[in-house]
Amino acid sequence: MIRHLATALLALAVGTTTPAAATPAPVPVADHEIVFTADGTTVYGTLRVPEHRAGHRLRAALLLPGSGPTDRDGNQPPRSAPDTLAQLADTLEGDGIATLRFDKYGTGRTGLGAYKDRPEELDYPAFVRQAQAAYRALRDQPETDPRALLVVGHSEGAMTGLLVGGTVHPRPAGLALLQPQAIRMLDLVTLQLKAQVAEAARQGQLTPEDQRTIDAAIDAAIDAAVTSLREQRPVDTTDLPPAIAQLFEAFQGPNARFVTSDDAVHPPDTAAALAPGTKVLLTCGTNDTQVPCFTTNALTTALRQAHAGRPGRVKLPGVDHLLHSAAHSNALAPPVLDALRRFTRR
C-alpha cells in the first residue's frame, strides 16, 4: 500500500495529466446540391452550410421565391436577375444560418416535373406542398437543428411561408415575410393596375379629365373581369386597354386553376394557424409599388391577434419590391439587412 501511495505521489510530482481532447477543425462553408421529392417530382435545390464545428447543429432557413417562374436564386432568366434569394443566403450565412433554396415548378433543373404533360393541373396548393417537402428536407439535414428552423419568403413566397408555417412539424421558430402578398391575389392585381393608370397621369401622359374618364371605365371593366374570374366565367375584355386585356386573357385557359386557387387564399386568415409566440418579421418598402405598405395592414393586425412574436412589421425607407434601393440597386439595401439582423438575433 505504501508503495502504491509513493507511486501516486511521484506521478503528481512530475505532472502526469490526462491529454486534453483535440478541438475539432472547423468545417468550411459549402454549397451542396440537394434533391427531394414532392408529389412525384424530383426537386433540385442548394443547401448553403456556413463554417461550423463538426457535429454542431445549425439554425437553418428555408428560402421561398416570389411569383412567376422564379428560380432558386430569385431570378427569372433571361429578363430578370436580381439574385434576391442568393443574396439572402449570403446574408444569413454571415449570421451562421444554413439555408435551403430550390427551383420551384417551372424553373431551373426542376422544370414542370410531374406536371409536364398536364400544366393546366398545376395549382397554387401544389407549390405549397412543394415548399412543405423542402422544409422537411431541410429539417432532416445532419447539419441543421430541427428545433431552430426559420422560413423566409419573398412576395408570393411570403404567403406560401405563412401556409407552411402553420402546417409543418416541428413548427418553425420564426417567419420572415419580405414584401409579402398580404391580400388576395386579384385584389392586389387590381390595385397595381389602377396605380399604373394614376402614375401615367402623374407623369403627364394623361390629362386629369382623361384620367377621370379612363378611371371610371377601367375600374368598372377590371372589377367585372375579377368577378368573372372568381365565378369561373369567361372574362369580357372588350372595354379593357390591350395590355390589361392581355393580362386577363393570360389568367384564363391553362393558368386558370393556379390563378383561382392562389386568389382563394386570404393571408390574414392564415395567421391564426401559427403557434403563439412564433417570431415574425414583416417588411414593406416605402418605394415598393407592387406591394404598398397599406396592403399589409390587415395581415399585421392578424399576426398581432395570433400573438406572433417580434419584431413584427418593419417599414423599409427607400426600399423597392426586390429589396433594393436607389443607392443599392444590385444588393440588399441596408434597411433590409438591419431588419434581418433584428429577426435573426437570438
Side-chain angles (χ1 to χ4, degrees), residues 109-250:
R109 291 190 65 190
T110 301
L112 287 173
Y115 294 94
K116 181 179 180 181
D117 298 323
R118 46 191 179 94
E120 71 283 353
E121 296 182 18
L122 184 58
D123 57 10
Y124 179 62
F127 288 87
V128 176
R129 293 192 299 273
Q130 189 184 42
Q132 290 167 334
Y135 184 90
R136 292 190 292 270
L138 179 62
R139 176 197 66 193
D140 295 342
Q141 296 303 311
E143 300 92 346
T144 63
D145 182 352
R147 300 164 301 174
L149 298 181
L150 308 170
V151 177
V152 179
H154 174 244
S155 193
E156 182 185 85
M159 184 174 78
T160 303
L162 269 173
L163 291 164
V164 168
T167 55
V168 292
H169 297 283
R171 297 294 173 89
L175 297 177
L177 312 176
L178 308 177
Q179 326 300 67
Q181 180 180 321
I183 59 178
R184 294 178 69 180
M185 175 189 175
L186 291 176
D187 290 338
L188 183 58
V189 168
T190 299
L191 285 173
Q192 291 171 345
L193 292 174
K194 293 177 180 179
Q196 288 172 17
V197 174
E199 179 62 17
R202 190 187 70 81
Q203 294 182 6
Q205 299 172 15
L206 299 171
T207 67
E209 183 178 353
D210 286 341
Q211 184 185 2
R212 285 191 294 271
T213 302
I214 292 173
D215 278 349
I218 290 182
D219 286 0
I222 290 175
D223 292 344
V226 167
T227 299
S228 294
L229 284 174
R230 286 176 171 166
E231 295 177 355
Q232 300 183 31
R233 294 186 286 105
V235 175
D236 181 2
T237 60
T238 304
D239 296 328
L240 290 170
I244 298 178
Q246 186 177 11
L247 175 65
F248 278 99
E249 287 164 0

Side-chain angles (χ1 to χ4, degrees), residues 11-12 14-22:
L12 288 174
V14 298
T16 302
T17 59
T18 302

Side-chain angles (χ1 to χ4, degrees), residues 29-36 42-49 71-73 99-104 107-111 137-138 141-143:
V29 59
D31 282 345
H32 305 286
E33 184 79 355
I34 294 294
V35 177
F36 60 92
T42 300
V43 184
Y44 296 87
T46 300
L47 178 72
R48 167 74 59 83
V49 181
D71 64 19
R72 73 179 80 179
D73 290 333
T99 57
L100 172 61
R101 60 192 198 272
F102 62 93
D103 291 328
K104 69 175 184 176
T107 75
R109 291 190 65 190
T110 301
L138 179 62
Q141 296 303 311
E143 300 92 346

Side-chain angles (χ1 to χ4, degrees), residues 154-155 176-182 281-297 299-300 312-324 335-336 339:
H154 174 244
S155 193
L177 312 176
L178 308 177
Q179 326 300 67
Q181 180 180 321
L281 165 67
L282 188 162
T283 67
C284 66
T286 60
N287 282 13
D288 188 345
T289 57
Q290 293 178 253
V291 179
C293 275
F294 72 86
T295 65
T296 67
N297 289 346
L299 178 55
T300 301
R313 181 166 65 179
V314 176
K315 291 187 178 182
L316 307 176
V319 173
D320 63 19
H321 191 64
L322 295 176
L323 307 175
H324 298 159
V336 179

